[in-house]
Amino acid sequence: MSTTRRTRQLAATAVAAALGVTALAGCGSSDDTATGSGGTKGSGSKTVTLVSHDSFAASEAVWKEFTKETGYTVKVLKSGDAGVALNQEILTKGSPRGDVFFGVDNTLLSRALDSGLFTPYEAKGIDRVTKDTQLDAGHRVTPVDTGDICVNYDKKYFADKKLTPPSTFDDLAKPAYKDLLVTENAGTSSPGLGFLLGTIAAYGENGYQDYWKKLKANGVKVVDGWEQAYNEEFSGSAGGKKAKADRPLVVSYASSPPVEVLYAKPQPAEAPTGVATGTCFRQIEFAGLLDGARNEKGGKALLDFLISKKFQEDLPLSMFVNPVTEDAKLPELFTRFGATVDRPQTVAPDRIVKNREQWVQSWSSLVVK
């Protein structure tokens, strides 16, 4: 199985699929067969092409608002998972298939910037974007959303066992939680990689291997990807219940509990799952103006819109991610059922690009082989 860079939006999509709904499918002016931006640079084209991963979604209403404000129509070109989509743009650098690329996150950022993929542009409203998400001082990319990869737990299991759920990385290695955790392979899954990076941030390059030895001795189970882990192995999810899963701990997302509530019929008064907030790794997702964009003016207008209050407030229930602007309000579903992660783990993008392959290989030799 090839390496998968699933973003946190896929979590919401897969959960929805497990519950038999399609509410998170891409909407608006999506056209997966688009081949370009529909005009020449400075030609006055009224179509802007947004290249992204397959999990991108926005409401029809928000795209109508963009057209109303700017006169431009957005065409969305979906190109596989985030890593595949980025590779395709690097291969066509200088003659891009679209005007704006959305979906490069902090695990891939240095690679995208080092390739010279983007034209610098300081988006209007960037002063409203939180400083901790602005990782590129040259404004080659604009932060759009954040999400946290965290261990989720099955509330019913721990209540029935009268066992306190784990809250930190250290807790997961304790005997009380033996044979309870399932995680994704760091070499084939974005949440698996994020969880590995979280442990590296927490324990350092000299300590993370010892930590994973403890997890392995404590019975951690590793599967290829998020969908298998969450919907087949995790006892707290709707899919896991159907599959009679027996692992009450899973590496997923801080936004997973609200999804479980939103698509349950009837909706419960309390989310069936919780989040161990001391096990989280922060992902930040960016968009950038592609070098050689045919509709550069339209691309800049789209980048401005992606950090507008209208688009930022559309993000939580379209892609189950958090806005990056300080003035955007979260929906009640998030504030009531979601987890607030005050101190997520992070790793600098340049460290990730320099060490990722080595870290994954070391992890694989310790945990998988």
Side-chain angles (χ1 to χ4, degrees):
M1 182 177 181
S2 60
T3 299
T4 302
R5 308 294 186 195
R6 287 183 181 169
T7 54
R8 72 216 49 85
Q9 302 93 304
L10 184 56
T13 304
V15 170
L19 297 173
V21 299
T22 57
L24 298 180
C27 52
S29 303
S30 178
D31 182 356
D32 292 350
T33 63
T35 57
S37 61
T40 58
K41 189 173 182 179
S43 68
S45 170
K46 289 302 180 180
T47 298
V48 184
T49 299
L50 174 67
V51 183
S52 188
H53 47 66
D54 285 347
S55 299
F56 177 84
S59 69
E60 184 176 354
V62 83
W63 287 139
K64 286 182 178 179
E65 182 67 22
F66 174 69
T67 301
K68 179 181 177 181
E69 290 182 5
T70 66
Y72 294 108
T73 298
V74 175
K75 181 181 290 184
V76 179
L77 175 59
K78 296 183 179 182
S79 303
D81 65 46
V84 170
L86 177 62
N87 286 341
Q88 288 180 313
E89 289 312 304
I90 290 174
L91 290 173
T92 58
K93 186 180 68 172
S95 299
R97 298 171 301 148
D99 305 303
V100 171
F101 183 87
F102 171 87
V104 60
D105 68 19
N106 46 318
T107 69
L108 297 167
L109 181 59
S110 288
R111 184 181 178 197
L113 297 182
D114 291 345
S115 72
L117 197 59
F118 300 112
T119 297
Y121 173 65
E122 186 172 346
K124 295 177 182 177
I126 194 68
D127 58 311
R128 296 165 30 253
V129 174
T130 56
K131 299 300 182 184
D132 61 331
T133 65
Q134 297 186 44
L135 303 185
D136 177 38
H139 298 292
R140 289 163 292 180
V141 291
T142 301
V144 176
D145 63 70
T146 69
D148 296 303
I149 293 169
C150 313
V151 169
N152 284 207
Y153 59 86
D154 179 354
K155 290 181 178 178
K156 185 177 185 303
Y157 174 91
F158 287 96
D160 289 348
K161 298 292 184 180
K162 295 181 172 54
L163 178 63
T164 302
S167 60
T168 66
F169 287 115
D170 282 348
D171 287 345
L172 297 173
K174 293 178 179 178
Y177 308 106
K178 185 174 177 61
D179 298 330
L180 301 187
L181 175 65
V182 58
T183 188
E184 303 83 0
N185 191 314
T188 58
S189 165
S190 179
L193 175 61
F195 187 60
L196 169 60
L197 292 173
T199 65
I200 291 169
Y203 298 103
E205 292 187 55
N206 295 324
Y208 82 95
Q209 294 186 37
D210 286 339
Y211 174 73
W212 276 97
K213 289 177 183 177
K214 293 177 183 178
L215 278 190
K216 184 175 182 179
N218 211 37
V220 64
K221 184 174 184 178
V222 178
V223 297
D224 282 342
W226 179 89
E227 188 168 355
Q228 180 183 357
Y230 193 85
N231 286 323
E232 297 179 21
E233 302 286 347
F234 176 48
S235 61
S237 70
K241 287 182 175 67
K242 292 178 182 178
K244 301 187 185 306
D246 61 1
R247 294 260 167 170
L249 297 172
V250 66
V251 173
S252 190
Y253 299 85
S255 58
S256 296
V259 180
E260 290 290 340
V261 173
L262 181 62
Y263 292 114
K265 293 183 180 180
Q267 288 190 359
E270 181 181 342
T273 60
V275 176
T277 56
T279 65
C280 302
F281 175 78
R282 173 66 50 87
Q283 283 187 312
I284 306 169
E285 203 162 31
F286 302 86
L289 181 67
L290 288 164
D291 181 48
R294 295 179 183 180
N295 190 351
E296 185 174 297
K297 186 176 180 181
K300 291 178 178 179
L302 180 55
L303 286 173
D304 294 342
F305 187 73
L306 292 179
I307 58 171
S308 69
K309 192 171 187 287
K310 183 78 173 180
F311 188 87
Q312 288 286 297
E313 292 186 346
D314 187 70
L315 283 167
L317 294 185
S318 290
M319 292 194 284
F320 288 88
V321 290
N322 294 300
V324 295
T325 57
E326 295 172 342
D327 58 348
K329 295 180 180 179
L330 287 171
E332 194 268 344
L333 181 78
F334 261 54
T335 57
R336 182 177 176 187
F337 299 109
T340 300
V341 183
D342 294 321
R343 299 179 64 184
Q345 300 290 345
T346 60
V347 179
D350 58 341
R351 283 188 65 207
I352 295 173
V353 75
K354 180 180 179 181
N355 299 293
R356 181 175 56 237
E357 296 307 318
Q358 175 192 333
W359 287 338
V360 170
Q361 287 176 8
S362 296
W363 176 87
S364 297
S365 65
L366 282 171
V367 182
V368 178
K369 296 179 180 178

